[in-house]
């Protein structure tokens, strides 16, 4: 059996086979507020609240949610950017016994409407921004939503930013329709906070319905229990050896509606008693100023964020070397990018790996110089990992041979909401989750991802993994970002095509020069048939490179050429 090959190399300060006990997720607020009530919990563009103030707001909102009928089984949606209202509402819904359903602000109306109906969301909380409110109001009018709670973005800002926003950003503020479904967010706090405590079963009660395309692309709600999320945060807490409770500063650039940020930034930050510095979205220049000003000690981002920051003209002036733990997730971290941070700043980026269905983290690269380039490291404590055959169900592959990465642990979801067949398709037995990613484990127990199974390109019968080509192209000093997809080919079936963004300060680079550069690094069948340079590459809602838009674009071009 290969699943415990990492035991001899596991971080000395971490016990791999330890057991974790789940708790109601909202205990995070109560427990930390009890220990450090006067420490700052949230800092939103300069407006702060302490842990005791956060607990008081959560308790009052809990009381109001219960009066609206929120209890076990009731779904409450959050359609918000990063802001204090998200944090307060999230934990108040949990404390009332309800289930949170996160909605991406980037979704189209049709996607939002599907998610509302599929999840059975009855109450929705949003903000009075023109980019969000009108869209959700139209969805509410066409769906089962009974109450639309609306908060004011400007009221969450400190003085004088709140006034300036209302004056100079007037066009960004939506006109709110105060009909029978409307609830003013401020009304949630018009009580003494004497909510009715709920008996939560952490292992069975659903804290969050987190929607994901999973391994099939069809949106499904992953049922994440209180224990799933609470324990995943505890597993992460074991990893860094140098954290100081109550003294950490956490940057919240990633959106809370995404599971990576929810666990790794918000829940982890609250458990650490940190000051969570919240920004509505990642803007490079603002992020650089924030890092320089706030002495951030815990940073989490996707690879594109790390690329943008290290290429900024002021990268050497923002105190990157003071960060205690930098975690990357959401997409593979280019090997040369990780090495660049290590060489320039002495910062060892910890690569995390996981998926929504696992709350989300299952693996992390060890710290203190023990990791291997290109590896996602070891399974988190309490987590088992397996490399399983893609041809023979239930067969585990030997060390060094590739297969599907599968995991078992307390962070694995309860299943997909009202989709038992879809759940069965991603499980081996009742407790082993198939990730849909192809990889292998080496003799030291380090796991390496080759690619997502669905991204694999079949070139004349040969398997080609886009990540191999992407790593080769990324090695060129002029390249900032690259993504590779398969495009239709009448003879070979598919061939690789690379889309490349060059660094702003880079010397001119031709397709021929780049092809010559990667020629010795990859096989003949892996060489891109086309390379296209672009000023920007499409990205997902959390900022990682996205392939689906490019795939659709190339299919449309191919079809048009066939019909011409």
């Amino acid at each position: 059996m290969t699943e415990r090959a990492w035991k001899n190399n596991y971080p000395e300060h971490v016990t791999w086979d330890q057991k974790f006990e789940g708790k109601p997720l909202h205990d995070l607020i109560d427990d930390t507020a009890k220990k450090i009530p006067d420490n700052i919990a949230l800092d939103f563009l300069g407006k702060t609240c302490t842990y005791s103030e956060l607990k008081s707001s959560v308790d009052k909102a809990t009381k109001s949610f219960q009066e609206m009928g929120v209890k076990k089984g009731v779904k409450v949606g959050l359609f918000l950017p990063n802001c204090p209202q998200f944090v307060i509402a999230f934990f108040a819904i949990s404390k009332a016994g309800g289930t949170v359903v996160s909605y991406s602000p980037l979704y189209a109306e049709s996607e939002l409407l599907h998610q509302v109906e599929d999840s059975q969301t009855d109450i929705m909380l949003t903000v009075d921004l023109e980019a969000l409110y009108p869209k959700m109001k139209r969805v509410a009018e066409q769906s089962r939503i009974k109450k639309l709670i609306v908060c004011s973005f400007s009221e969450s800002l400190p003085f004088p930013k709140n006034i300036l926003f209302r004056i100079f950003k007037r066009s960004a503020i939506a006109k709110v329709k105060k009909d029978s479904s409307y609830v003013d967010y401020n009304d949630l706090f018009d009580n003494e906070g004497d909510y009715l405590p709920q008996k939560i079963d952490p292992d069975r009660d659903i804290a969050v319905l987190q929607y994901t395309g999973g391994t099939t692309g069809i949106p499904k709600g992953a049922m994440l229990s209180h224990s799933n999320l609470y324990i995943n945060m505890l597993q992460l807490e074991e990893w860094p050896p140098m954290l100081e409770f109550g003294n950490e500063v956490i940057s919240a650039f990633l959106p809370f509606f995404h599971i990576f940020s929810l666990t790794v930034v918000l829940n982890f930050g609250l458990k650490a008693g940190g000051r969570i510095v919240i920004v509505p979205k990642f803007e490079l220049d603002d992020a650089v100023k924030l890092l320089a000003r706030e002495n951030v000690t815990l940073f989490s981002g996707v690879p594109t964020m790390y690329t943008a920051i290290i290429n900024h003209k002021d990268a050497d002036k923002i105190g990157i070397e003071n960060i205690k733990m930098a975690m990357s997730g959401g997409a593979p971290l280019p090997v040369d990018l990780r090495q660049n941070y290590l060489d320039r700043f002495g910062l060892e980026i910890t690569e995390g790996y996981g998926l929504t269905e696992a709350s989300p983290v299952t693996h992390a690269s060890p710290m203190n110089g023990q990791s291997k380039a290109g590896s996602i490291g070891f399974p988190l404590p309490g987590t088992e990992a397996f490399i399983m055959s893609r041809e023979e169900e239930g067969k585990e592959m030997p060390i060094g041979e590739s297969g599907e990465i599968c995991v078992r642990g307390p962070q694995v979801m309860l299943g997909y909401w009202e989709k038992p067949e879809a759940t069965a398709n991603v499980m081996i037995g009742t407790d082993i989750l198939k990730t849909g990613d192809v990889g292998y484990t080496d003799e030291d127990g380090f796991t390496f991802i080759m690619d997502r199974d669905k991204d694999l390109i079949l070139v004349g019968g040969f398997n080609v993994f886009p990540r191999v080509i992407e790593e080769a192209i990324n090695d060129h000093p002029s390249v900032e970002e690259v993504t590779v997809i398969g495009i239709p080919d009448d003879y070979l079936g598919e061939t690789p095509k690379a889309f490349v963004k060059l660094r702003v300060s880079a010397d001119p680079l031709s397709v021929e020069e780049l092809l010559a550069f990667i020629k010795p690094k990859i096989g003949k069948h892996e060489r891109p048939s086309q390379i296209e340079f672009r000023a920007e590459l499409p990205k997902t809602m959390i900022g990682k490179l996205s392939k689906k838009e490019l795939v659709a674009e190339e299919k449309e071009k191919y079809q048009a050429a066939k019909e011409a």
Side-chain angles (χ1 to χ4, degrees):
M1 297 290 285
T2 62
E3 72 270 16
R4 291 179 173 81
W6 56 80
K7 287 193 70 175
N8 293 333
N9 297 293
Y10 215 64
E12 291 183 359
H13 68 283
V14 184
T15 302
W16 168 71
D17 57 355
Q18 62 185 292
K19 304 296 182 184
F20 295 94
E21 183 178 346
K23 295 178 67 176
L25 200 54
H26 48 268
D27 281 6
L28 277 172
I29 302 288
D30 294 351
D31 292 346
T32 304
K34 190 180 297 183
K35 296 173 184 174
I36 47 172
D38 298 326
N39 280 35
I40 293 174
L42 308 178
D43 182 336
F44 183 63
L45 302 175
K47 186 172 184 177
T48 63
C49 77
T50 65
Y51 274 95
S52 63
E53 291 169 338
L54 177 58
K55 174 179 163 31
S56 175
S57 294
V58 168
D59 288 350
K60 290 177 180 180
T62 300
K63 168 78 169 178
S64 292
F65 277 126
Q66 288 182 331
E67 289 176 346
M68 286 183 211
V70 176
K71 57 185 178 181
K72 287 188 182 183
V74 174
K75 318 298 190 311
V76 183
L78 298 182
F79 187 59
L80 295 165
N82 280 9
C83 57
Q85 292 96 324
F86 186 107
V87 182
I88 292 166
F90 181 91
F91 288 100
I93 296 161
S94 172
K95 189 171 272 194
T99 296
V100 173
V101 185
S102 290
Y103 288 78
S104 168
L106 300 182
Y107 274 4
E109 282 182 39
S110 60
E111 294 173 299
L112 295 170
L113 188 58
H114 165 78
Q115 189 172 324
V116 166
E117 297 299 335
D118 187 77
S119 65
Q120 300 169 12
T121 296
D122 290 325
I123 300 170
M124 183 70 70
L125 196 147
T126 190
V127 65
D128 65 345
L129 293 176
E130 186 64 32
L132 298 184
Y133 173 79
K135 191 187 328 186
M136 183 50 70
K137 180 59 180 173
R138 289 191 293 269
V139 169
E141 290 172 346
Q142 302 173 64
S143 69
R144 59 180 290 135
I145 292 174
K146 301 175 181 65
K147 296 290 183 184
L148 190 59
I149 305 170
V150 184
C151 56
S152 166
F153 185 79
S154 63
E155 288 181 3
S156 63
L157 300 172
F159 177 84
K161 290 179 182 177
N162 54 351
I163 296 174
L164 295 174
F165 185 86
R166 289 194 291 268
I167 295 173
F168 295 106
K169 298 287 186 179
R170 188 176 303 170
S171 62
I173 302 174
K175 186 175 181 180
V176 176
K177 185 177 180 181
K178 298 184 179 180
D179 55 16
S180 59
S181 67
Y182 169 80
V183 176
D184 189 322
Y185 172 79
N186 292 324
D187 290 347
L188 298 181
F189 309 99
D190 190 18
N191 62 70
E192 299 301 316
D194 51 337
Y195 66 92
L196 182 64
Q198 299 297 295
K199 186 174 179 59
I200 300 292
D201 180 348
D203 295 336
R204 303 309 307 168
D205 288 340
I206 304 168
V208 174
L209 266 188
Q210 191 75 26
Y211 272 73
T212 173
T215 59
T216 65
I218 301 169
K220 300 175 292 293
M223 298 185 289
L224 302 179
S225 69
H226 288 260
S227 286
N228 288 154
L229 292 160
Y230 192 90
I231 290 176
N232 199 219
M233 176 267 304
L234 292 180
Q235 293 169 312
L236 287 168
E237 189 182 34
E238 293 286 314
W239 213 242
M242 74 301 280
L243 299 189
E244 300 174 64
F245 179 78
N247 289 321
E248 306 300 344
V249 180
I250 300 96
S251 57
F253 295 122
L254 293 166
F256 292 148
F257 61 77
H258 192 276
I259 190 64
F260 180 37
S261 181
L262 180 66
T263 295
V264 178
V265 178
L266 182 56
N267 293 345
F268 185 74
L270 293 170
K271 183 65 167 60
R275 177 164 64 92
I276 303 175
V277 183
I278 303 172
V279 293
K281 63 180 293 190
F282 179 81
E283 299 283 359
L284 179 57
D285 287 339
D286 292 340
V288 166
K289 291 175 185 176
L290 183 149
L291 289 168
R293 182 178 68 245
E294 300 294 346
N295 192 29
V296 168
T297 60
L298 301 178
F299 180 94
S300 294
V302 292
T304 51
M305 287 183 182
Y306 285 101
T307 298
I309 289 171
I310 203 166
N311 287 325
H312 194 277
K313 60 182 176 61
D314 294 327
D316 294 306
K317 305 174 185 176
I318 58 180
I320 291 175
E321 65 278 359
N322 296 324
I323 295 174
K324 292 182 181 180
M325 182 180 185
M327 195 163 202
S328 177
L333 181 71
V335 173
D336 66 325
L337 178 60
R338 187 178 186 277
Q339 190 62 44
N340 202 352
Y341 270 88
L342 195 58
D343 293 342
R344 285 181 62 180
F345 307 111
L347 177 64
E348 183 180 26
I349 298 175
T350 300
E351 182 160 12
Y353 166 79
L355 62 168
T356 299
E357 290 86 345
S359 306
V361 189
T362 65
H363 291 66
S365 58
M367 304 176 70
N368 300 329
Q370 296 175 304
S371 62
K372 288 189 179 184
S375 168
I376 57 170
F378 302 137
L380 291 182
T383 305
E384 293 178 276
F386 314 87
I387 305 297
M388 308 298 286
S389 169
R390 287 179 289 160
E391 287 79 34
E392 191 175 336
E393 180 81 11
K395 178 186 176 183
E396 188 173 1
M397 302 302 291
I399 287 173
E401 293 194 22
S402 68
E404 183 172 9
I405 301 170
C406 300
V407 295
R408 175 166 57 199
Q411 70 271 53
V412 171
M413 67 172 181
L414 300 179
Y416 293 123
W417 170 250
E418 295 196 335
K419 289 181 172 56
E421 288 186 13
T423 301
N425 289 337
V426 298
M427 303 298 293
I428 299 175
T430 59
D431 58 355
I432 296 178
L433 174 68
K434 298 191 285 188
T435 69
D437 288 339
V438 180
Y440 67 93
T441 301
D442 72 7
E443 66 279 0
D444 296 320
F446 285 85
T447 297
F448 294 79
I449 295 179
M450 299 171 73
D451 233 312
R452 285 197 67 82
D453 206 3
K454 67 183 179 68
D455 292 337
L456 183 145
I457 305 169
L458 198 62
V459 181
F462 291 96
N463 289 342
V464 172
F465 295 101
R467 189 179 182 188
V468 173
I469 307 170
E470 289 164 355
E471 287 286 2
I473 294 174
N474 256 320
D475 282 342
H476 196 288
S478 295
V479 172
E480 180 170 316
E481 294 175 347
V482 57
T483 191
V484 173
I485 64 169
I487 61 172
D489 184 274
D490 290 335
Y491 177 63
L492 295 170
E494 284 185 302
T495 60
K497 178 174 180 178
F499 296 83
V500 178
K501 176 186 177 183
L502 298 177
R503 300 182 192 278
V504 175
S505 58
D507 293 330
L509 180 67
S510 70
V511 169
E512 293 73 22
E513 288 170 330
L514 185 54
L515 282 170
F517 175 81
I518 65 173
K519 185 177 179 179
K521 298 173 179 286
I522 56 178
K524 186 177 180 180
H525 63 296
E526 295 173 319
R527 293 174 196 164
S529 61
Q530 298 179 40
I531 295 178
E532 182 177 330
F533 294 109
R534 292 197 174 187
E536 294 294 336
L537 299 181
K539 295 181 174 65
T540 68
M541 57 190 176
I542 64 166
K544 69 179 182 180
L545 293 169
S546 177
K547 297 178 189 284
K548 67 178 183 179
E549 295 87 353
L550 299 172
V551 170
E553 185 181 313
E554 291 297 321
K555 283 184 177 178
E556 186 176 328
K557 283 166 58 177
Y558 177 77
Q559 192 62 38
K562 294 281 283 186
E563 293 172 357

